[in-house]
Amino acid sequence: MAAEIINLRMARKQKARADKERAADANRLAHGRTKAEKTLTRALKDQAERRLDQGRLEGTSGPDGSKPEKPE
């Protein structure tokens, strides 16, 4: 019926390690992406931007409402 004797210093360190590991897991999910994933995202973004630019009409007003200057 005797309780198990534990070293409080070691128990605190184990708890701190477990807390840090949980925080690291959360950060990996939120921020951790492989280089391949980053490259793929960048390539898809560039591709979408090129497709959008291909459909752009010349001589129309810009996004700020100004008209482009015509060369004389």
Side-chain angles (χ1 to χ4, degrees), residues 6-20:
I6 60 169
N7 186 332
L8 293 178
R9 177 180 49 87
M10 289 177 61
R12 271 196 306 271
K13 286 184 178 183
Q14 285 177 343
K15 183 180 183 304
R17 280 188 209 110
D19 290 344
K20 283 184 181 181

Side-chain angles (χ1 to χ4, degrees), residues 6-69:
I6 60 169
N7 186 332
L8 293 178
R9 177 180 49 87
M10 289 177 61
R12 271 196 306 271
K13 286 184 178 183
Q14 285 177 343
K15 183 180 183 304
R17 280 188 209 110
D19 290 344
K20 283 184 181 181
E21 186 60 32
R22 274 190 232 106
D25 285 339
N27 283 338
R28 280 186 211 110
L29 288 175
H31 304 290
R33 294 186 341 171
T34 64
K35 187 173 184 176
E37 289 172 332
K38 291 176 187 177
T39 304
L40 177 64
T41 302
R42 190 177 310 117
L44 291 173
K45 179 183 162 282
D46 290 343
Q47 182 183 29
E49 197 170 301
R50 281 193 309 271
R51 284 186 181 162
L52 181 64
D53 287 342
Q54 287 174 352
R56 189 177 303 272
L57 297 174
E58 294 296 324
T60 59
S61 63
D64 59 350
S66 64
K67 294 190 177 190
E69 296 180 20

